[in-house]
Each structure stands twice: as C-alpha cells, then as structure tokens.
Amino acid sequence: MATRRSSVVRYAVVGLGHIAQVAVLPAFANAKRNSRVVALVSDDSAKLRALSDKYRIDGAYSYEEYDTCLEQVDAVYIALPNSLHAEYTVRAAKAGVHVLCEKPMAVTAGECRRMIDACQVNGVKLMIAYRLHFEEINLKAVDLVRRGRIGAPKFFNSSFAMTVRRNDIRTKKEMGGGTLYDIGVYCINAARYLFRAEPKEVMAVSVNSGTAKLGEIDESTGALLRFEGERVAAFVTSFNATDVASYRIVGTKGQVRVDPAYEYAEGLAYELTVNGKTTRKRIGKRDQFAPELLYFSDCILKDREPEPSGEEGLQDVRIVQALYKSAETGKAVSIPPFQRSKRPTGRQRITRPGVQKPKLVKVQSASED
C-alpha cells in the first residue's frame, strides 16, 4: 500500500456475514470523522452487489482478489470465521495495511503470535475488536471497582448463552467454533479487566447432551479461573440455552452486577450495591462499533499504539486453549505469566447513537431466539 497523508482512513470490510452487515457497515456513518469504508471482500456476488449499492462502495472484491484490494486501502476490518483471522491479518500486514480484527483473535496462541509478529515487522497497527473496552456501562463497572466502591474485589461470575442455529459457523470445529471461542472470550476478558489481573491456572468441564447440531463442539462449558491475589472467576457458556448475558463482581464491601452485559443490539445496565443500598443505571441502545473505528483510525493517523492490542487477544486465546485442555484432561492447567501493556480506562469511552437494524442480505443471526 502506498503511503498517503489524509485525515480519513480507508477501510475494506473483509467478510460480509451477520456481524459485518448488522453492525460494522452501518457504524461507518457514525465514524465518518476519520473512517470510510471503500471496499468489500466476499465470494458471494449477491452480497457484494447489494451492499456495494446500499453503501455506495466502488471496491468489490472476491477472496481471490484480496491482495488487489489491499492496494486500495489503509486498513481492514476482518469479520471472517475464526480460522481465517490469522491468514488474512498476515497478508494485510505484509501489504502494509493496518488490521482491526474481530474476536477471538485466532484459534491458537501460535496463530496470534504470527499475527502480532507480522504486524510488528511490517510496521502496521493491530487491534482486536473488543467493543466493550469503549462502552459506557462496562467502563463504569471498571471505574467503580478501581475506585474501591465494592472494597477489594474477590470473585466474578458470569453467564452467557444462546440457542445457536443449525449449521452456523460457530458449530463448525474446523472454523474455530465452540462456546469459549465465540462467547467465552467476553467472560474471560471481562474478568481480566475488572480484576486488573491475570489468571494463574484454570479448570473447565465441557458437556454435550447429544444435540446433533452441536456434535463437533462443546454444547456448554463451565470454567473456573484462579487469579493473582487469590481471587476467582467462574462462568458458564452455552449454545443450547435461552439468551442470557450478564456478570457480577463481588467485593468485601459490595458488588456490581451488569445485565445485560455483552449485547450490542440493546441497551446495557448495571446495579451497584453497597451496604444494602442499590443504585442503578441503564442506557439505551448505542452504536458499539463506531467507537472502535474512531479510536483505531486515530491510532493510525496519530501513530499511537491501540488497546485492545494483539497481546490482549493472544492472552484470551491462550486461556481458551487452556480451558479446553482442562476439560479434555480433567486437570487444572497453569497459565504462563503475562504482563498486560495497557488496561481499559474511562478515557476510551466513546459514545455514538444506536443504528437501525438494516435489511440483511443472505445472512441471519446466530441465535434462534
């Protein structure tokens, strides 16, 4: 990619599945200060044609034409199946193109390291799309814990579940499917940024009731993480239960409960309880994807290192792999020491109004509900 001086970063959205159509593409309208989508990449000609027309995008490329696309853009938003994140990140980095990659970062820690190394060697920015690092309610929970409102934080628990459609990519092992990869990373990441610490060892139990559509992956997984400072986090993820997405962190003086916690299609809310007194805050639906674009584009234009970084994504994938290993062996698995470079702060809080759900082209949500 040729060097250019501009106040706007030109993006290609790679992969036109549900998340790209329902959230990423509409977000550019709220991020137009410094971000513009100029190209789409997909092997589905109907999607390319319809979405190019809808968003007035001139660049439409197949996956075989990805390298040609990279010559026309400054950054890519990778919204592909998990198993393809590493390949398309490395190819972008070698072309000198910055990368904003959906979570999980990849399927293995080795893939994550290849992505980080490729971006470092080629001098491009890499950020993992943890949208909640910019979201008001979750950042408020971080701030309440950091300021000691609940005393010393002691334990975290979370539930995240949905009923996944048959043949959804999340059910395909070869595509990086599984509850921990898809929704477990939210629980892991939330525990890490609320405790401001890293787990030392993990344990997990995975179960499958025999549901045919989930035969390749875990139907549900229960996880236990032991953190520095003798704190614990527990969570359950499931692809065969009613929708739930909440967490609670409990301290010596009180607790913070966030419910819903991980959604992007609705408003979020928290409750703070201290000495028996509860205060609540709820916000309406916000665009959680435009803040990522605005922040990442500023990092590119102002030559700043983004957070959540590749190292952040690597750590979560390392923990996911350790949990699956524990579930397979029935033993606790140690986590190597990890020094986090940056942590989410209120300074990253960026708000944009919610977007209306667009008409979708040949995709449907992962959940049956």
Side-chain angles (χ1 to χ4, degrees):
M1 183 200 70
T3 301
R4 64 190 287 272
R5 300 181 67 86
S6 174
S7 60
V8 175
V9 175
R10 303 168 302 169
Y11 283 83
V13 174
V14 186
L16 298 178
H18 186 264
I19 197 72
Q21 292 193 37
V22 80
V24 180
L25 288 172
F28 280 94
N30 281 330
K32 58 186 177 182
R33 173 176 64 81
N34 61 11
S35 309
R36 182 159 60 98
V37 56
V38 300
L40 303 176
V41 183
S42 173
D43 268 351
D44 191 311
S45 59
K47 289 181 182 180
L48 285 175
R49 183 166 53 253
L51 295 170
S52 294
D53 289 345
K54 177 179 176 63
Y55 293 100
R56 299 180 181 178
I57 298 169
D58 293 330
Y61 301 88
S62 68
Y63 293 124
E64 287 188 354
E65 298 169 323
Y66 182 55
D67 293 331
T68 301
C69 172
L70 293 173
E71 297 173 0
Q72 313 302 320
V73 301
D74 308 305
V76 291
Y77 192 112
I78 295 178
L80 293 164
N82 302 336
S83 57
L84 297 176
H85 288 184
E87 175 191 345
Y88 280 78
T89 293
V90 171
R91 289 170 65 183
K94 289 180 177 179
V97 173
H98 306 284
V99 178
L100 177 52
C101 182
E102 263 298 335
K103 60 199 164 306
M105 182 175 176
V107 179
T108 69
E111 289 179 339
C112 294
R113 179 52 62 188
R114 283 202 297 116
M115 296 163 71
I116 293 168
D117 291 347
C119 290
Q120 289 178 342
V121 166
N122 292 282
V124 300
K125 309 295 184 188
L126 171 63
M127 188 172 103
I128 311 305
Y130 286 100
R131 52 189 165 77
L132 298 180
H133 283 225
F134 306 89
E135 191 278 320
E136 179 179 352
I137 292 296
N138 280 273
L139 285 173
K140 182 62 176 178
V142 172
D143 185 60
L144 290 169
V145 174
R146 181 183 60 82
R147 291 193 291 115
R149 293 296 306 278
I150 65 169
K154 289 296 183 179
F155 69 88
F156 166 98
N157 60 41
S158 182
S159 300
F160 199 178
M162 60 181 173
T163 304
V164 172
R165 295 181 188 276
R166 183 180 300 276
N167 295 323
D168 187 87
I169 61 171
R170 292 159 181 80
T171 69
K172 308 295 184 182
K173 185 175 182 179
E174 66 178 10
M175 292 185 174
T179 71
L180 295 181
Y181 283 113
D182 187 64
I183 54 182
V185 290
Y186 287 89
C187 308
I188 294 166
N189 199 256
R192 291 176 56 232
Y193 67 62
L194 286 162
F195 279 144
R196 302 176 70 82
E198 301 301 327
K200 299 190 295 184
E201 67 175 1
V202 302
M203 296 185 68
V205 175
S206 292
V207 297
N208 196 304
S209 64
T211 303
K213 66 180 180 180
L214 301 174
E216 296 182 14
I217 60 166
D218 57 309
E219 177 180 320
S220 303
T221 292
L224 185 65
L225 288 64
R226 180 180 178 182
F227 276 78
E228 299 166 2
E230 300 309 306
R231 294 166 288 183
V232 294
F235 67 84
V236 177
T237 53
S238 181
F239 278 167
N240 195 25
T242 193
D243 285 2
V244 61
S246 64
Y247 68 72
R248 183 192 309 264
I249 184 164
V250 180
T252 54
K253 296 179 180 179
Q255 62 175 303
V256 177
R257 179 174 179 265
V258 182
D259 184 11
Y262 308 121
E263 300 289 347
Y264 64 85
E266 59 181 292
L268 306 186
Y270 79 82
E271 293 181 352
L272 169 67
T273 302
V274 179
N275 297 325
K277 181 180 179 181
T278 298
T279 57
R280 299 176 175 86
K281 181 175 183 179
R282 177 177 292 274
I283 63 170
K285 180 181 177 181
R286 302 280 175 83
D287 183 346
Q288 296 180 10
F289 290 77
E292 295 179 310
L293 294 167
L294 288 162
Y295 172 83
F296 188 56
S297 292
D298 274 344
C299 287
I300 293 169
L301 296 168
K302 299 176 182 180
D303 193 23
R304 298 172 178 167
E305 288 306 309
E307 191 286 323
S309 64
E311 285 78 10
E312 181 78 12
L314 165 63
Q315 177 67 347
D316 284 339
V317 171
R318 183 184 288 130
I319 294 168
V320 167
Q321 285 192 278
L323 286 167
Y324 277 132
K325 181 178 179 180
S326 174
E328 182 180 353
T329 64
K331 299 178 181 179
V333 177
S334 297
I335 304 294
F338 171 75
Q339 183 63 45
R340 196 172 186 174
S341 57
K342 291 184 178 181
R343 299 185 183 276
T345 69
R347 291 189 297 275
Q348 285 183 261
R349 182 176 299 148
I350 303 172
T351 60
R352 288 296 185 273
V355 298
Q356 185 175 2
K357 183 178 179 179
K359 183 178 179 180
L360 304 181
V361 182
K362 297 178 66 177
V363 294
Q364 55 187 356
S365 67
S367 175
E368 291 182 354
D369 294 341

